[in-house]
Amino acid sequence: MSKKPIRRALVSVYNKEGLEPVIHALGKSGVDFVSTGGTRQFIESLGYKVIPVEDLTGYPSVFGGRVKTLHPAVFGGILYRRDNESDQREAHRHGIASIDLVLVDLYPFEETVAAGALEEEVIEKIDIGGVSLIRAAAKNYKDVLVVSSRRQYARLLEVLEETSCMPTEEHRRQFAVMAFDVTSHYDTSIFNWFNQDGQVPSFKKSIQGGRSLRYGENPHQWGKFYGPLDDLFEQLHGKELSYNNLVDIDAACGLLEEFSGETAFVIIKHTNACGVATGTTVHEAYVKALQADPVSAFGGILATNKLVDAKAAEEINKLFFEILIAPAFSADALNLLTSKKNRILLVQKKSLHQETQFKSLLNGVLEQQADNQTETEAQLKVVTHRPPTPQETAAMLFASRIAKHSKSNTIVLAVDGQMLASGVGQTSRVDALKQAIEKAKSFGFSLQGAVMASDAFFPFADSVEIAHRAGITAVIQPGGSVRDQESIDFCNAHNMAMVFTGYRHFRH
């Protein structure tokens, strides 16, 4: 594909980091520099002559630097088509010299917003000239090379070396694609900042950086993940993460967030908890969590919020599992757990807390506020004659946190600090309860004195009747059914305690 030499470069960057080797590479190839302000001073400090933009335009920088490069002498030099005779004549008539490389690093708008800056400062970090230069150069990629971010400098240096400063059209188009990625992301960030109150009903999200996965949910589907996953996790060992791994990791870490301040262990299979427990140590919490369903735990996703030491690792190592997530691993634990090459060990660096969620659906996107509501004892409304004991209250709050993260319809049976069983993803609440009771009994648990949590209200009293026969003594649910009183009356007649939370936690 056609090579074109770079004879003149317009350089305008906010952040000078990494720029020096690029300037040297261009300067040694005899490229003329055009620049302004601080970038001009930086290039001159490296020993190269610079044509001030003001000399090119015949006009000074005005309005505190808001207008510097917005001029036909600049944009004409970028946009005129070198193979178009009419454009060539016009450029010659107006004395417009060609610009072959545009190198820009935009004002840090997102960083300024993230730092909590005042509106006036945020507004001033909306780059106008830089975005315009990038778009113009990208549009005319057949003649111009555009570099739109300092993150592209390494690739630029490779291209300059490979081509002796004569990039091909393929190179120019590659950089043009990256340029429109930069500008579209930048504009999306600005729009979302201006539209925080949602007055414009438009869904715009931009996530830069992605990776191809081995496949999607099933082997016949392709899959990709977009986002800075390395900001959240460091992978210490094991094979590449899959689509389903990532879905389950999200579920595991989301549930684990509910137990901040405690030593907790969760075991996830197909996004549902098959074991959850707290304890004084990771070892104790793991052993208790595994008891709930050691069959489903096989091949599961394991997560804890405390350091995994050697004692915990020795116990965990007995189980075949896909992934273990922890904030840290002791050296002895790591040595033991890495004995199987495919096991994935992840260090979680920070919280997964989110304020909003979205997913594609039908011919559009659903967006909602994330369910960050976690009930406390003070919010519970006792609706039965007998109030729950302190032990029952603690167990109900524990079970309710698990139910919140389970597929509806769901029922969770628990004692304080240990899930005994759950019924998840059922089309009726009665079926979910029966599933949970059967599972608890199959793994040797007595339900005498246990509690029951439901993600939504009971439409009839049948669920509390079944629970009572199984030995359950206390129930936590949102309330809100027109037949609530029937369930309350049954509990009163059988000395059961029931509390309402006022919050439903459907999960589909």
Side-chain angles (χ1 to χ4, degrees):
M1 302 181 79
S2 63
K3 288 186 173 184
K4 294 199 174 181
I6 298 174
R7 296 190 177 93
R8 174 174 285 187
L10 191 157
V11 185
S12 178
V13 301
Y14 179 86
N15 190 319
K16 314 300 185 293
E17 180 184 348
L19 182 60
E20 183 174 345
V22 173
I23 298 301
H24 285 311
L26 293 168
K28 289 175 182 176
S29 297
V31 174
D32 293 332
F33 294 105
V34 177
S35 192
T36 185
T39 306
R40 171 191 167 190
Q41 294 172 9
F42 178 82
I43 298 172
E44 289 175 337
S45 74
L46 298 177
Y48 300 99
K49 292 183 179 180
V50 180
I51 302 170
V53 167
E54 293 84 353
D55 288 359
L56 208 65
T57 63
Y59 214 86
S61 171
V62 294
F63 309 125
R66 280 190 165 198
V67 180
K68 289 180 283 192
T69 58
L70 297 168
H71 192 280
V74 174
F75 282 84
I78 297 169
L79 283 165
Y80 93 82
R81 293 158 291 187
R82 276 57 160 178
D83 60 354
N84 184 296
E85 292 184 5
S86 175
D87 282 10
Q88 290 176 1
R89 288 194 299 271
E90 220 171 340
H92 179 73
R93 184 166 63 252
H94 294 290
I96 294 174
S98 63
I99 295 172
D100 311 303
L101 168 66
V102 172
L103 193 155
V104 174
D105 189 63
L106 298 172
Y107 291 167
F109 177 82
E110 287 183 284
E111 294 87 339
T112 304
V113 171
L118 297 175
E119 180 172 324
E120 182 178 354
E121 185 179 354
V122 172
I123 293 292
E124 290 307 311
K125 289 298 185 292
I126 298 176
D127 205 316
I128 302 300
V131 171
S132 301
L133 290 169
I134 291 171
R135 290 177 61 86
K139 177 176 180 176
N140 200 25
Y141 73 88
K142 289 189 176 181
D143 297 311
V144 181
L145 179 66
V146 58
V147 179
S148 50
S149 167
R150 63 183 182 275
R151 288 185 286 274
Q152 299 166 17
Y153 290 170
R155 177 59 182 149
L156 172 63
L157 288 169
E158 290 175 358
V159 169
L160 295 177
E161 184 176 352
E162 290 170 7
T163 66
S164 300
C165 213
M166 295 180 64
T168 66
E169 184 175 324
E170 182 180 1
H171 290 134
R172 296 191 297 273
R173 195 179 194 285
Q174 178 188 66
F175 276 88
V177 172
M178 292 190 287
F180 285 119
D181 175 44
V182 168
T183 58
S184 63
H185 179 81
Y186 198 76
D187 284 341
T188 297
S189 299
I190 295 169
F191 168 78
N192 286 330
W193 180 77
F194 269 102
N195 197 45
Q196 292 176 68
D197 59 0
Q199 63 180 350
V200 177
S202 180
F203 179 86
K204 296 185 190 299
K205 300 290 181 186
S206 177
I207 302 174
Q208 291 181 303
R211 61 175 73 184
S212 294
L213 305 173
R214 296 198 305 273
Y215 50 81
E217 197 164 8
N218 299 291
H220 63 277
Q221 298 169 269
W222 60 261
K224 294 183 179 182
F225 176 82
Y226 297 98
L229 192 62
D230 291 342
D231 290 354
L232 295 178
F233 301 103
E234 178 185 1
Q235 184 167 345
L236 302 181
H237 186 71
K239 61 186 178 181
E240 181 185 348
L241 291 167
S242 71
Y243 180 101
N244 291 328
N245 287 160
L246 292 169
V247 173
D248 284 335
I249 288 168
D250 180 73
C253 293
L255 176 54
L256 202 57
E257 288 285 318
E258 299 287 344
F259 301 98
S260 176
E262 302 175 78
T263 298
F265 206 103
V266 305
I267 304 173
I268 296 291
K269 200 69 172 288
H270 297 297
T271 74
N272 290 304
C274 56
V276 183
T278 57
T280 56
T281 66
V282 171
H283 176 272
E284 179 191 350
Y286 168 71
V287 170
K288 289 166 62 179
L290 184 63
Q291 289 171 347
D293 190 347
V295 174
S296 295
F298 183 86
I301 310 301
L302 282 54
T304 182
N305 54 6
K306 302 293 182 182
L307 177 145
V308 175
D309 58 17
K311 184 177 181 181
E314 287 176 8
E315 195 66 37
I316 294 168
N317 194 52
K318 299 173 185 177
L319 177 72
F320 170 77
F321 62 88
E322 284 270 334
I323 300 171
L324 174 57
I325 307 163
F329 297 84
S330 74
D332 289 342
L334 202 56
N335 186 55
L336 179 61
L337 293 167
T338 55
S339 60
K340 292 184 172 59
K341 67 176 183 178
N342 286 331
R343 272 182 183 164
I344 298 170
L345 302 180
L346 298 177
V347 171
Q348 185 176 353
K349 299 177 184 179
K350 61 182 182 180
S351 167
L352 295 184
H353 182 81
Q354 294 177 313
E355 291 298 328
T356 59
Q357 298 171 317
F358 61 90
K359 64 179 178 180
S360 60
L361 188 146
L362 299 175
N363 62 344
V365 173
L366 277 176
E367 184 177 26
Q368 68 170 352
Q369 178 185 8
D371 185 1
N372 293 323
Q373 168 63 32
T374 298
E375 287 72 56
T376 64
E377 183 175 355
Q379 294 173 307
L380 302 182
K381 178 183 178 182
V382 179
V383 295
T384 50
H385 297 324
R386 181 177 78 79
T389 66
Q391 292 80 11
E392 288 173 330
T393 299
M396 287 191 295
L397 290 171
F398 174 86
S400 182
R401 285 181 278 179
I402 301 168
K404 170 184 165 183
H405 290 266
S406 301
K407 295 294 184 183
S408 301
N409 291 305
T410 187
I411 293 289
V412 174
L413 308 179
V415 292
D416 186 14
Q418 185 179 29
M419 185 180 92
L420 304 181
S422 65
V424 298
Q426 299 301 305
T427 52
S428 83
R429 205 153 298 282
V430 167
D431 285 345
L433 174 57
K434 289 178 178 179
Q435 182 189 57
I437 292 171
E438 181 181 351
K439 182 171 283 191
K441 290 182 177 179
S442 71
F443 292 115
F445 286 111
S446 169
L447 293 177
Q448 295 298 321
V451 305
M452 172 173 71
S454 176
D455 61 332
F457 64 63
F458 296 109
F460 304 99
D462 48 5
S463 290
V464 291
E465 294 172 10
I466 295 169
H468 170 68
R469 290 197 298 270
I472 290 162
T473 58
V475 179
I476 183 170
Q477 60 140 319
S481 168
V482 294
R483 293 174 174 264
D484 274 345
Q485 194 60 47
E486 293 178 16
S487 296
I488 295 170
D489 289 343
F490 182 89
C491 289
N492 284 333
H494 296 84
N495 199 35
M496 296 174 70
M498 179 180 282
V499 298
F500 286 177
T501 65
Y503 291 93
R504 189 184 73 187
H505 292 292
F506 271 165
R507 180 167 289 239
H508 294 105

